[in-house]
Amino acid sequence: MDTPVAVRGRGITKVFGDVVALDRIDVSMTQGQIHGLVGPNGAGKTTLLGLLLGLAAADEGSLEVLGAPVGRGSAAPRGVSGFVDGPGLYPTLTARQNLAALVALRPDEATAAGAEEALEQVGLADVADDRVRGFSLGMRQRLGLAAALLTKPRLLVLDEPSNGLDPVGKKDVHGVLGRLAAEGVTIVMSSHRMDDLEALCSEVTILANGRVVFAGPVSKLSDDNQELDYRLRASDPSAARAVAAATPGVALVDGRGTPARPDTDAIVVRARVASVDGLVAHLVREDIALRELTPLVSPLEAAFLALTEQEDHR
Amino acid sequence: MTTSLTNAPAPGSGGGAGAGAGAGTGVEAEAGTAGGRPVPVARIVRFELLKQFSAWRVRLLIGLCWLGPGLLVFAIDQQSTLPSDTLFGRWMHATGWAGPLVVLGVAGTWALPLLTSLVAGDVFASEDRLGTWRHLLIAVRSHRRVFAAKAVAGLTVIGLLMAGLAVSSIVGGLLAEGNRPLVGLDGHLITGPDAAGDTLLAWACVVAPTLALAAIGLLGSIALGRSPMGLVLPMVAALAMQLAQLLPLPVAVRLALPGYAFLSWNGLFADPRQLGPLLIAVGVSTGWAIAATALAYRLFLRRDFTNLNNDGAGRRGLTWGVLPLAGLLAATVGVLTVATGASGSGITQDKVQRSVATAFAHLYRFQQAQLRQPPVTEAQLQTSASCDKSEGLDAQQGSGNDWRCTVSWTVPGYNATAQAVYQLNVTANGRYTADGDGPVQVNGYFLIVSAGKAAPNPLWQFDGDVDLLAG
């Protein structure tokens, strides 16, 4: 049985002057999933998010959001919320006033109680009566998320929601997004933080030059990827180096140009996942304790770099 | 199952990219479409007003406008020297209605353009500065309604500020001098209640040019985005119009400028009232307000709100902002030239003579009353004036401070003709100040003794107004 689709677009094109922001792309986003949108600057991420939020209409193609067609002459359907290009708050108003103003605008979809609940959810209840002028970037992001949650959205569209968040704030926001997804809310979020996307997203779309260069589960992206660089620390570095050199499919890398810490005796190897598995087994057989094995670049980031570079060369 | 995303063919392989580039990006949801229902305008207006009143700048302006003029009028009234270089300033000790008119004159020159700049010039640009456009549009779901609400909220604040200026100055004037008769621009006495009505009407007349400046502010705020020029555009426009009013322009050009009503309310205080220029000026201002608002609306709806680098400023702003208004100005000049038949400056020797003679006759009677002399009628005085410009060497028309008039009248009871000389400074909009140049018994003294007390001599110096459209 097919999973319900929250967003379905076919042949979407958006042009600004001479710039083709989106070039006949197809998109499909499953309901209840957190869908990541990745791409270099100018790839068309914000344009796509803007179309989902009803800020603009596609020049060509069809877009269906929450089962309703969205096009010229119609805004995004009820149930869609979110922000692009920052959370959009009024600095002269307090956090509570910002949300209350939104409740007053949409009383049929939001309530004052909901505003209090949203403030609690994002951990801003204690500063609800402070003016937003004094908020840090992270606090603004969280308040923006609270504003987006006010109308109980079924599709939440977020542009860089983790931007400026400290580790605690990020954990809180991730927790909220995870809960929402578990409740069936579809979340589309863009981010430049691959670790965020890997931690949260079950699906990802990579855009480059207004085109989709990959779309699908994150796991598929890492499976399909080419070799990755791993930093490896072991109890006997020399022996580990020899074992790595002898393991099929594993190549030693000199470490230059990689972020390996210079104060450690780590070695850097390049291999596919299967070969790394073989290396680990080989080390264990040789009684060499493995203390660290970390990809230098996350699978998603590696795929992102590879795919977008390919697109740039086309 | 997750549907896989695929990419369409590359551009250049046919079609696709050209349609509607950057145009018509505004998305509008209305009842009956698939989109969520847009928010009613009244709610958006309330939200806009909340934002306006939460800004310290607006709160400060409200305080200044509701308190400042009253305090200023009251304070000036306590001084021995009055601002006689401003219209009605010389009468501030005589009546409470002079103060609000002095404030009105200054407001038309400085305060109202400044207020429209600070409010209307920023009402759209502030969203650019704060980066809140997308947030607002997502919440409201209608570009049209956002425009309407912002325009209404901006005008509401401007109206509140303007009302403050008027009410405060009236209260200050009445507290200082009370509801006493006002000397009109042609020297006739206007009773207290009539002066009240005329003063309120004069303030009402400047609503139209204020709206025109506010609309120019809205246009600048949209067309110029974050640029400071958007904020100061109403001030710049008002300053440019004031400079133009100083130039010896043809009457039709002068009347076609949307700020002329800031001057032409003077005509309410003449007898008969000079309603022609006033009504035309109010009509022109209203036309500009409508045209500039419509252009701002069009620009706003065509703006792309997904492009982060685009704040709406650019060549389109010039094309859809400045050029149509320049066209409107040219068309208005043409229509007024044909409709009024007016040509030249509108200031002729004959008009100056009639105006000075009328004002002198009225003020002479006023002076006689102050001096407790038997009342005289204007028919008895048979006043006339003979005026020349540049000692008759240049054309006998137009503005300048080189007009000189000799006023003649029949001295009541003596059957003799007396004469007084005045030096006139006539401005390009027809307003003039007549400065007495003898004889000393008539206009040589600044003060006269009235009922045992010193009072200003009404014939020492007086203001007048030439009707630019009169035949």
Side-chain angles (χ1 to χ4, degrees):
Chain A
M1 192 183 83
D2 279 356
T3 309
V5 173
V7 175
R8 189 195 306 276
R10 292 288 176 267
I12 298 171
T13 299
K14 185 68 189 173
V15 181
F16 300 117
D18 298 330
V19 178
V20 182
L22 293 174
D23 186 5
R24 284 172 284 178
I25 66 165
D26 295 344
V27 290
S28 182
M29 296 169 186
T30 312
Q31 189 177 306
Q33 300 285 316
I34 303 183
H35 194 107
L37 205 53
V38 201
N41 292 333
K45 302 187 297 293
T46 303
T47 303
L48 181 54
L49 295 179
L51 296 183
L52 296 179
L53 286 167
L55 285 171
D59 296 323
E60 288 180 10
S62 65
L63 178 63
E64 201 175 272
V65 174
L66 299 177
V70 177
R72 199 171 296 282
S74 61
R78 186 173 172 141
V80 181
S81 183
F83 59 78
V84 288
D85 187 29
L89 302 164
Y90 294 96
T92 55
L93 304 181
T94 66
R96 184 172 274 123
Q97 283 175 324
N98 265 285
L99 297 192
L102 287 175
V103 172
L105 280 176
R106 309 259 287 266
D108 49 339
E109 295 174 57
T111 62
E116 297 302 321
E117 188 186 327
L119 285 167
E120 288 283 354
Q121 271 189 296
V122 300
L124 291 177
D126 293 344
V127 291
D129 290 318
D130 291 358
R131 287 190 195 280
V132 171
R133 177 189 295 133
F135 278 19
S136 67
L137 180 58
M139 291 164 81
R140 288 173 191 234
Q141 291 288 107
R142 284 195 270 165
L143 184 56
L145 180 59
L149 296 178
L150 272 183
T151 53
K152 307 280 184 213
R154 284 181 289 139
L155 173 64
L156 188 58
V157 180
L158 302 171
D159 190 12
E160 303 277 355
S162 300
N163 194 19
L165 292 178
D166 58 24
V168 176
K170 194 160 82 171
K171 184 165 165 275
D172 288 348
V173 167
H174 284 194
V176 171
L177 296 181
R179 271 201 306 279
L180 289 169
E183 290 166 8
V185 176
T186 308
I187 298 168
V188 183
M189 58 178 280
S190 75
S191 181
H192 285 109
R193 301 283 302 269
M194 298 299 165
D195 53 341
D196 283 348
L197 292 171
E198 282 186 305
L200 284 169
C201 299
S202 47
E203 299 173 340
V204 66
T205 296
I206 300 180
L207 288 170
N209 298 327
R211 302 181 198 182
V212 174
V213 293
F214 174 84
V218 176
S219 55
K220 183 166 180 281
L221 186 64
S222 56
D223 285 344
D224 291 345
N225 190 33
Q226 77 255 36
E227 294 171 324
L228 291 179
D229 288 353
Y230 295 87
R231 183 172 59 226
L232 185 151
R233 288 179 64 234
S235 55
D236 184 345
S238 303
R241 182 178 291 274
V243 169
T247 305
V250 176
L252 283 165
V253 179
D254 62 8
R256 282 178 296 182
T258 68
R261 291 195 296 270
D263 59 336
T264 67
D265 49 8
I267 62 173
V268 177
V269 296
R270 179 170 296 156
R272 294 176 190 276
V273 171
S275 300
V276 172
D277 291 346
L279 172 61
V280 171
H282 200 164
L283 289 169
V284 171
R285 278 200 302 274
E286 296 295 326
D287 282 338
I288 300 169
L290 187 60
R291 292 174 177 166
E292 180 185 345
L293 181 63
T294 317
L296 290 176
V297 179
S298 73
L300 182 57
E301 189 166 356
F304 168 74
L305 291 171
L307 290 167
T308 53
E309 279 169 13
Q310 277 174 22
E311 179 62 25
D312 284 343
H313 291 312
R314 286 175 66 174
Chain B
M1 186 194 98
T2 303
T3 309
S4 182
L5 308 182
T6 54
N7 191 39
S13 60
T25 52
V27 173
E28 184 69 13
E30 296 294 348
T33 68
R37 271 192 316 171
V39 175
V41 173
R43 280 191 214 148
I44 315 169
V45 170
R46 279 201 296 274
F47 182 39
E48 290 300 321
L49 289 174
L50 171 70
K51 286 189 282 179
Q52 290 279 349
F53 293 131
S54 70
W56 66 266
R57 186 184 62 205
V58 172
R59 292 202 297 266
L60 177 68
L61 287 177
I62 290 171
L64 286 175
C65 289
W66 279 87
L67 294 175
L71 294 174
L72 188 71
V73 167
F74 194 85
I76 291 175
D77 190 74
Q78 307 308 308
Q79 311 301 311
S80 58
T81 306
L82 294 175
S84 56
D85 52 338
T86 58
L87 196 58
F88 295 105
R90 68 181 78 256
W91 300 113
M92 283 184 73
H93 279 158
T95 172
W97 297 110
L101 295 175
V102 169
V103 171
L104 178 56
V106 176
T109 309
W110 297 109
L112 292 173
L114 180 65
L115 295 179
T116 53
S117 274
L118 291 174
V119 179
D122 198 43
V123 70
F124 286 88
S126 63
E127 305 286 353
D128 282 308
R129 214 171 43 249
L130 300 173
T132 44
W133 268 129
R134 296 161 189 82
H135 164 80
L136 183 62
L137 290 168
I138 290 166
V140 171
R141 295 183 176 134
S142 165
H143 293 52
R144 292 191 180 102
R145 293 178 187 213
V146 165
F147 180 89
K150 280 191 166 291
V152 169
L155 294 181
T156 303
V157 174
I158 290 171
L160 184 65
L161 298 174
M162 214 175 150
L165 291 173
V167 171
S168 176
S169 59
I170 289 171
V171 170
L174 291 178
L175 286 177
E177 292 295 342
N179 179 19
R180 290 193 275 168
L182 172 73
V183 176
L185 271 185
D186 56 357
H188 77 290
L189 269 184
I190 306 170
T191 63
D194 286 347
D198 288 347
T199 303
L200 290 174
L201 194 54
W203 275 95
C205 286
V206 301
V207 169
T210 305
L211 288 180
L213 286 181
I216 290 171
L218 295 181
L219 182 59
S221 186
I222 291 170
L224 298 169
R226 284 180 286 263
S227 164
M229 267 309 290
L231 184 66
V232 300
L233 194 61
M235 270 303 281
V236 171
L239 188 63
M241 286 188 282
Q242 285 168 31
L243 288 174
Q245 294 293 354
L246 295 176
L247 299 174
L249 297 170
V251 183
V253 177
R254 196 174 297 287
L255 290 173
L257 294 171
Y260 193 66
F262 283 132
L263 302 169
S264 56
W265 59 265
N266 298 354
L268 289 172
F269 296 88
D271 186 21
R273 290 177 169 174
Q274 298 169 9
L275 293 181
L278 177 59
L279 292 176
I280 289 172
V282 168
V284 167
S285 297
T286 306
W288 271 70
I290 293 168
T293 304
L295 292 169
Y297 177 68
R298 182 186 170 87
L299 270 177
F300 184 72
L301 289 194
R302 292 174 68 89
R303 182 172 163 184
D304 161 38
F305 286 96
T306 55
N307 188 348
L308 305 185
N309 299 319
N310 176 16
D311 66 355
R315 190 177 298 170
R316 184 182 286 172
L318 178 72
T319 309
W320 289 103
V322 176
L323 295 182
L325 292 180
L328 175 64
L329 177 63
T332 310
V333 170
V335 169
L336 288 177
T337 303
V338 173
T340 64
S343 60
S345 67
I347 301 168
T348 62
Q349 185 180 36
D350 180 50
K351 287 187 195 176
V352 172
Q353 290 176 163
R354 268 188 282 149
S355 177
V356 170
T358 304
F360 182 89
H362 287 148
L363 291 169
Y364 185 88
R365 293 177 60 209
F366 182 46
Q367 186 199 50
Q368 292 297 298
Q370 283 185 307
L371 294 172
R372 302 297 172 97
Q373 297 293 315
V376 292
T377 63
E378 286 167 37
Q380 287 174 306
L381 291 172
Q382 298 178 53
T383 311
S384 64
S386 172
C387 303
D388 62 56
K389 188 172 188 293
S390 302
E391 298 179 342
L393 297 176
D394 286 343
Q396 298 301 293
Q397 61 178 355
S399 60
N401 62 358
D402 52 354
W403 282 95
R404 188 174 174 83
C405 294
T406 302
V407 183
S408 305
W409 72 100
T410 302
V411 182
Y414 293 92
N415 201 24
T417 300
Q419 288 188 325
V421 177
Y422 284 90
Q423 196 72 37
L424 264 64
N425 181 10
V426 184
T427 61
N429 59 43
R431 239 197 76 194
Y432 65 83
T433 301
D435 197 7
D437 207 9
V440 69
Q441 296 85 349
V442 179
N443 58 25
Y445 295 113
F446 170 62
L447 296 173
I448 56 175
V449 178
S450 174
K453 289 196 300 185
N457 178 2
L459 292 177
W460 175 69
Q461 195 180 63
F462 61 87
D463 297 306
D465 202 18
V466 173
D467 187 344
L468 300 181
L469 289 181

